Amino acid sequence: MDAIILQILNGLDKGSAYALIALGLTLIFGTLGVVNFAHGALFMLGAFCAVTLSQILTLSHEVIDDTRTDFLGNPLKVDVPYVYDIFGQAAGDTIIDWAVPLGILFAIPIMAGIGIAMERGLIKHFYKRPHADQILVTFGLAIVLQEIIKYFYGANPIPTPAPDAFIGSFDFGAMLGFDPGSIIYPYWRLVYFLFAMTIIAAVFAFLQFTTFGMVVRAGMADRETVGLLGINIDKRFTIMFAIAACVAGVAGVMYAPINSPNYHMGMDFLVLSFVVVVVGGMGSLPGAVAAGFLLGILESFASMSWAINLVPGINQIIIYLVAIIILLTRPRGLMGRKGVMED
């Protein structure tokens, strides 16, 4: 039982990332009808927003510390972060320590701007083009963004630690009555899961309970009729693209301590998240979220030693096997609307 609980927990954090990226992909497909293969790159850009803010906060200058000397007896030069000069040492240390959560505030305007620029500058020209054209142009854009990140940040992963308050693990085993230490789960992974659930709930509440969201949902169902009512649906869809970019961006920010950001992480998650969207149902927001968590947990169970011994490499292909079965038996996905992707 403890092994089962541990695998479920392990699947939740990866499933959270799948669900958040798939949610953004589905928002874009549902509102604009565009298959956006650059969405994984937005996840990567969000992670590098956390890296960038961390690097900015640790920028420093040299000062002479008269209280310390080198081996020759000369006053020692020390590096002092600029945030110390602005906020003081104690507050500066706290700000540097909490660079990743603060990265959310840093990333939101950047990702919204990138989303609007992508939609207005490129994506809008492919609304009525075949899905194959959309995939090619957005995939090409993803490669361009990937190479830009590689040029400025290098090819190696950049460790981005979580705040000290969340370093360590929670003992679920002791809490649930099992042997202490039998179910250990890192605090930050728990934080990421709760963060993902908050973002998902916020997006659904926004679409369900706000006038803007209701107009968007109406536009998803019948864009032409909404336009005939005098509503500028194109402007709202541009804003939705920006929101989808922000969702992917903040997902990447908070995932940075779990998986050190690197230039190809967006592509790694994109392929899996697109499979999640297909399994959940193209255009179905609840389907994308449910499939994200289910496939994350399924992948976690497939990584257990008994499964790998039984079918070597099963952990690498299990999600694709599920997708093949779904496409053969129910092309529209688990919760997709009838007729979507069934032509």
Side-chain angles (χ1 to χ4, degrees):
M1 179 59 70
D2 57 344
I4 292 174
I5 295 173
L6 182 60
Q7 293 308 316
I8 291 173
L9 290 172
N10 286 336
L12 286 178
D13 68 84
K14 187 165 283 189
S16 299
Y18 292 160
L20 286 174
I21 299 174
L23 181 66
L25 275 169
T26 305
L27 278 173
I28 292 172
F29 181 81
T31 54
L32 306 176
V34 173
V35 181
N36 180 23
F37 256 62
H39 203 70
L42 298 177
F43 178 80
M44 172 200 65
L45 291 175
F48 276 93
C49 282
V51 171
T52 302
L53 181 62
S54 181
Q55 292 177 346
I56 290 172
L57 292 176
T58 53
L59 287 174
S60 60
H61 60 96
E62 284 190 348
V63 298
I64 296 176
D65 187 351
D66 294 325
T67 64
R68 301 165 63 188
T69 59
D70 59 19
F71 68 96
L72 295 176
N74 298 318
L76 196 63
K77 292 182 179 179
V78 296
D79 291 326
V80 176
Y82 287 105
V83 291
Y84 285 9
D85 299 335
I86 301 172
F87 300 103
Q89 183 172 350
D93 282 334
T94 301
I95 291 172
I96 292 172
D97 183 40
W98 286 76
V100 171
L102 291 173
I104 295 173
L105 301 177
F106 181 70
I108 287 174
I110 293 174
M111 297 309 302
I114 291 173
I116 292 171
M118 281 178 58
E119 195 275 335
R120 289 287 87 190
L122 180 67
I123 303 297
K124 73 173 184 177
H125 302 293
F126 289 83
Y127 286 162
K128 297 181 181 179
R129 300 280 287 274
H131 289 318
D133 291 355
Q134 298 169 0
I135 291 172
L136 285 173
V137 72
T138 54
F139 187 76
L141 177 61
I143 293 175
V144 170
L145 293 173
Q146 181 175 288
E147 291 303 312
I148 290 173
I149 291 295
K150 182 180 178 181
Y151 177 80
F152 285 103
Y153 292 90
N156 296 322
I158 303 175
T160 309
D164 290 341
F166 298 104
I167 292 177
S169 300
F170 184 76
D171 192 344
F172 274 100
M175 185 185 75
L176 298 174
F178 297 101
D179 293 334
S182 60
I183 305 176
I184 298 294
Y185 197 68
Y187 286 124
W188 189 256
R189 290 177 182 262
L190 229 109
V191 169
Y192 190 80
F193 170 69
L194 295 175
F195 171 78
M197 294 304 296
T198 302
I199 295 296
I200 291 167
V203 170
F204 275 88
F206 174 75
L207 291 174
Q208 190 70 30
F209 301 116
T210 65
T211 303
F212 186 99
M214 286 186 279
V215 170
V216 168
R217 285 190 291 115
M220 291 170 70
D222 192 339
R223 181 171 182 164
E224 290 184 2
T225 300
V226 173
L228 290 173
L229 294 174
I231 298 172
N232 187 350
I233 195 67
D234 289 339
K235 180 179 179 181
R236 283 170 167 78
F237 282 178
T238 300
I239 295 173
M240 287 308 301
F241 197 101
I243 291 173
C246 288
V247 170
V250 297
V253 169
M254 295 294 281
Y255 205 76
I258 297 174
N259 183 11
S260 296
N262 56 78
Y263 73 96
H264 57 76
M265 69 183 298
M267 204 64 73
D268 296 341
F269 273 92
L270 169 72
V271 176
L272 292 171
S273 297
F274 189 75
V275 172
V276 168
V277 171
V278 172
V279 170
M282 294 292 285
S284 171
L285 296 175
V289 174
F293 284 111
L294 287 173
L295 292 179
I297 293 171
L298 186 62
E299 186 180 22
S300 179
F301 276 103
S303 299
M304 297 179 72
S305 57
W306 66 265
I308 295 175
N309 291 333
L310 184 65
V311 182
I314 187 65
N315 58 317
Q316 301 294 324
I317 63 172
I318 185 65
I319 289 181
Y320 303 105
L321 288 176
V322 172
I324 290 170
I325 294 171
I326 293 295
L327 287 173
L328 289 174
T329 58
R330 190 179 173 87
R332 66 175 180 266
L334 295 175
M335 302 174 70
R337 298 191 304 273
K338 188 175 181 179
V340 178
M341 305 301 286
E342 289 187 324
D343 296 336

